[in-house]
């Protein structure tokens, strides 16, 4: 009874400070498949769609002079023109519209169920484990509850993720040579669709306004 379900189907807490007109981030979670009896989750953080830029000349020509109405138009809300004879829609006056940035974090898992995978679609950054190697085989994925770098690369490619940050490396993943092998394996599954890097503690990845927009044919590993 303490939860409120939003229009997107996800539960909200009544004291959620990230609700209302000042909301800046959408945070969602879904369950992963790790080991029997061990529950793990993935999380997605997506910003509120950034306001676009008003083409003042177009707005004035349609009968809306600079005013608070511009703020509504930037947020995707139609407004009446100044003389009240018609309505002006955001699509008529907005330029430089930016898509919201999205970050996905997957905890320990052997499989990403469809609900979580859908949340990760088109992420600017996805953090995915690379505990095992492809040569370990499917049976070890099932018994250990972890994934390999090849499948991490394939996941990022299939879901259109721009940057794949690998983490949770196996206990033997030390040294430049082994890390190079892990990145190479991920590249094999990814087919050049994403930028690929090895994550480390306290790593920061800056995502520009509007998200990453790499030319997939020129993507490279870091």
């Amino acid at each position: 009874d303490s939860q409120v379900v939003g229009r997107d189907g996800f539960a909200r807490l009544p004291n959620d400070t990230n609700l209302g007109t000042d909301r800046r981030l959408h945070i969602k979670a879904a369950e992963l498949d790790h080991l029997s009896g061990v529950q793990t989750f993935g999380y997605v953080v997506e910003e509120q769609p950034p306001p676009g830029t008003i083409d003042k000349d177009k707005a004035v020509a349609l009968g809306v002079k600079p005013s608070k109405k511009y703020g509504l138009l930037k947020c995707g809300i139609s407004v009446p023109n100044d003389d009240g004879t018609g309505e002006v829609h955001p699509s008529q006056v907005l330029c430089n519209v930016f898509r919201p940035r999205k970050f996905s974090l997957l905890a320990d898992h052997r499989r990403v169920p469809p609900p979580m995978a859908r949340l990760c679609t088109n992420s600017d950054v996805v953090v995915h484990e690379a505990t095992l190697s492809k040569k370990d085989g499917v049976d070890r994925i099932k018994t250990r509850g972890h994934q390999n770098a090849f499948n991490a690369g394939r996941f990022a490619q299939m879901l259109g993720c721009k940057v794949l940050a690998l983490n949770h490396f196996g206990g033997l993943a030390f040294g430049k040579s082994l890390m190079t092998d892990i990145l190479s394996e991920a590249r094999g599954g990814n087919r050049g669709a994403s930028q690929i890097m090895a994550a480390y503690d306290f790593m920061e990845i800056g995502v520009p306004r509007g998200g990453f927009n790499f030319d997939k044919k020129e993507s490279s590993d870091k």
Side-chain angles (χ1 to χ4, degrees), residues 42-59:
Y43 302 89
V44 172
V45 180
E46 185 173 16
E47 69 178 342
Q48 186 79 1
T53 303
I54 293 287
D55 186 320
K56 180 182 175 182
D57 292 337
K58 287 184 178 180

Side-chain angles (χ1 to χ4, degrees), residues 64 68-70 72-73 77-81 86-90:
V64 180
K68 292 183 178 180
K69 292 180 180 179
Y70 281 21
L72 296 173
L73 288 166
I77 301 173
S78 300
V79 300
N81 58 15
E87 191 172 50
V88 177
H89 305 289

Side-chain angles (χ1 to χ4, degrees), residues 141-217:
I141 291 177
K142 293 179 179 179
T143 57
R144 292 195 57 188
H146 291 289
Q147 267 295 345
N148 59 48
F150 182 90
N151 286 339
R154 186 181 181 191
F155 178 85
Q157 183 258 332
M158 292 177 64
L159 275 298
C161 302
K162 310 301 185 298
V163 171
L164 168 63
L166 299 171
N167 75 341
H168 203 286
F169 306 110
L172 299 178
F174 293 101
K176 183 177 179 179
S177 177
L178 286 172
M179 291 307 302
T180 298
D181 289 344
I182 290 172
L183 291 170
S184 178
E185 182 176 306
R187 181 172 60 246
N190 189 258
R191 299 183 179 181
S194 313
Q195 300 278 350
I196 301 174
M197 60 184 67
Y200 53 85
D201 291 345
F202 307 112
M203 182 180 189
E204 295 183 5
I205 302 175
V207 182
R209 188 181 187 191
F212 289 122
N213 186 24
F214 301 129
D215 181 345
K216 292 185 178 181
K217 293 183 179 180

Side-chain angles (χ1 to χ4, degrees), residues 13-40:
L13 293 176
N15 61 345
D16 190 344
T17 59
N18 197 34
L19 293 177
T21 57
D22 293 329
R23 183 174 187 172
R24 293 292 179 268
L25 297 173
H26 298 261
I27 303 173
K28 300 178 180 179
E31 192 170 0
L32 297 168
D33 177 12
H34 180 35
L35 288 170
S36 178
V38 181
Q39 196 174 33
T40 60

Side-chain angles (χ1 to χ4, degrees), residues 42-117:
Y43 302 89
V44 172
V45 180
E46 185 173 16
E47 69 178 342
Q48 186 79 1
T53 303
I54 293 287
D55 186 320
K56 180 182 175 182
D57 292 337
K58 287 184 178 180
V60 171
L62 291 169
V64 180
K65 295 180 181 180
S67 65
K68 292 183 178 180
K69 292 180 180 179
Y70 281 21
L72 296 173
L73 288 166
K74 286 182 179 181
C75 292
I77 301 173
S78 300
V79 300
N81 58 15
D82 293 342
D83 62 14
T85 59
E87 191 172 50
V88 177
H89 305 289
S91 60
Q92 295 176 287
V93 296
L94 284 182
C95 57
N96 297 326
V97 178
F98 300 97
R99 71 171 179 82
R101 291 168 285 192
K102 182 191 287 190
F103 169 81
S104 299
L105 172 65
L106 302 176
D108 296 2
H109 68 277
R110 58 188 173 190
R111 185 178 68 90
V112 181
M116 186 66 234

